[in-house]
């Protein structure tokens, strides 16, 4: 079974540009989560998509956005890039959470975004 | 909002010895999940162990076990018979059971070094 795949592996952008990161979940998983891992800050929750809808959003500005496609793959867009957006962006997928039940998350290997 | 604190940025242990990584968290919820994830240089987050808050019995997975103290909001990870492959960043994480808030909240991580 293929795991969660993210592309590209590395991305270098200039300040002010836009970045697009992609994530393909495990087959059968409908929920996709995005996390930002900046140096020394652990993982910060960005966005949660399920069945094509944004279900929850972390404390990030609106220039961080995304979408989920009918095949459950997802895209994270970061507009007007700033130097502090440089980080590892991790995607995770799971079955849709059930109240009181944890189905577990499977993470991808991330996209390393560098803003210069 | 929930917070997770890992107060040990770095730890080291001799191969075959035992090491304990600390984690504390803050929440007003009574039911939740706690996790330990491992992040090797490959960057992919790998689930090490999971604890359900309503279960008093500490979770165990082979050489990995936890000491879950709900009243103290403490969740430490014990690694027995440490192996070179255990070297990685270890993250403690919290997950609410409230519908719509199932995101993972991570600590800042502990870098574990195994000394041959």
């Amino acid at each position: 079974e293929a795991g969660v795949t993210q592309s590209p592996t590395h991305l270098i952008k200039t300040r002010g540009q836009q970045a697009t990161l992609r994530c393909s979940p495990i087959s059968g998983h409908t929920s996709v989560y995005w996390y930002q891992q900046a140096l020394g800050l652990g993982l910060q929750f960005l966005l949660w998509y399920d069945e094509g809808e944004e279900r929850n959003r972390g404390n990030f500005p609106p220039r961080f956005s995304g979408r989920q496609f009918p095949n459950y793959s997802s895209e994270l867009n970061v507009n007007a890039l700033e130097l502090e957006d440089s980080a590892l962006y991790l995607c995770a997928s799971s079955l849709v959470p059930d109240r009181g039940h944890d189905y577990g998350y499977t993470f991808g290997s991330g996209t390393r975004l560098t803003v210069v | 909002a929930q917070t997770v604190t890992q107060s040990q940025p770095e730890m080291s242990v001799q191969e075959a010895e035992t090491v304990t990584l600390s984690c504390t968290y803050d929440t007003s919820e009574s039911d939740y999940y706690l996790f330990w994830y491992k992040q090797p240089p490959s960057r992919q987050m790998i689930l090490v162990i999971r604890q359900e808050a309503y279960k008093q019995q500490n979770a165990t997975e082979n050489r990995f076990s936890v000491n879950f103290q709900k009243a103290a909001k403490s969740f430490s990870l014990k690694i027995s018979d440490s192996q070179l492959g255990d070297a990685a960043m270890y993250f403690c994480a919290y997950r609410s059971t409230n519908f719509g808030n199932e995101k993972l909240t991570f600590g800042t991580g502990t870098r574990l070094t195994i000394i041959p």
Side-chain angles (χ1 to χ4, degrees):
Chain A
E1 177 186 277
V4 176
T5 57
Q6 292 188 244
S7 62
T9 305
H10 294 87
L11 188 60
I12 301 175
K13 290 287 187 178
T14 303
R15 189 171 53 183
Q17 285 188 318
Q18 178 193 39
T20 298
L21 289 62
R22 296 179 178 84
C23 172
S24 293
I26 284 178
S27 177
H29 285 187
T30 62
S31 275
V32 171
Y33 302 79
W34 287 96
Y35 291 85
Q36 181 195 66
Q37 186 178 13
L39 194 62
L41 292 181
L43 282 78
Q44 305 293 318
F45 168 70
L46 266 166
L47 290 159
W48 169 30
Y49 291 96
D50 184 70
E51 296 287 354
E53 300 287 331
E54 182 181 301
R55 301 297 186 185
N56 202 348
R57 182 182 182 86
N59 189 25
F60 281 84
R63 57 191 187 81
F64 286 84
S65 65
R67 54 180 171 167
Q68 187 178 33
F69 300 98
N71 66 354
Y72 304 116
S73 67
S74 177
E75 209 171 72
L76 174 68
N77 295 295
V78 188
N79 294 320
L81 284 165
E82 300 179 1
L83 297 178
E84 52 265 35
D85 296 333
S86 295
L88 178 67
Y89 289 84
L90 288 165
C91 167
S93 75
S94 76
L95 294 172
V96 61
D98 242 346
R99 186 179 180 86
H101 187 87
D102 176 71
Y103 290 107
Y105 304 80
T106 303
F107 282 83
S109 296
T111 294
R112 173 76 65 189
L113 173 63
T114 302
V115 183
V116 298
Chain B
Q2 296 82 27
T3 59
V4 177
T5 302
Q6 293 179 250
S7 59
Q8 307 156 314
E10 296 184 355
M11 292 281 285
S12 61
V13 63
Q14 293 280 149
E15 192 176 1
E17 296 295 309
T18 295
V19 65
T20 299
L21 308 184
S22 301
C23 172
T24 59
Y25 58 95
D26 189 26
T27 184
S28 59
E29 298 175 339
S30 60
D31 195 16
Y32 46 86
Y33 292 92
L34 295 166
F35 307 84
W36 278 98
Y37 279 90
K38 168 185 176 181
Q39 187 179 40
S42 66
R43 310 185 313 197
Q44 186 177 20
M45 300 287 282
I46 300 167
L47 178 65
V48 174
I49 201 164
R50 172 174 60 198
Q51 176 77 43
E52 298 169 65
Y54 68 87
K55 290 186 177 179
Q56 294 187 353
Q57 187 174 7
N58 290 325
T60 300
E61 288 287 341
N62 301 313
R63 299 182 295 107
F64 299 87
S65 62
V66 298
N67 184 5
F68 173 49
Q69 301 289 326
K70 190 173 184 180
K73 295 180 182 175
S74 171
F75 184 61
S76 61
L77 174 70
K78 185 172 82 171
I79 306 174
S80 303
D81 185 26
S82 297
Q83 301 176 359
L84 294 178
D86 295 334
M89 283 290 290
Y90 285 81
F91 292 93
C92 179
Y94 173 103
R95 204 213 93 178
S96 171
T97 58
N98 288 333
F99 185 73
N101 195 29
E102 290 89 347
K103 66 181 186 294
L104 291 168
T105 300
F106 288 88
T108 51
T110 297
R111 181 174 300 281
L112 179 63
T113 300
I114 310 297
I115 303 167

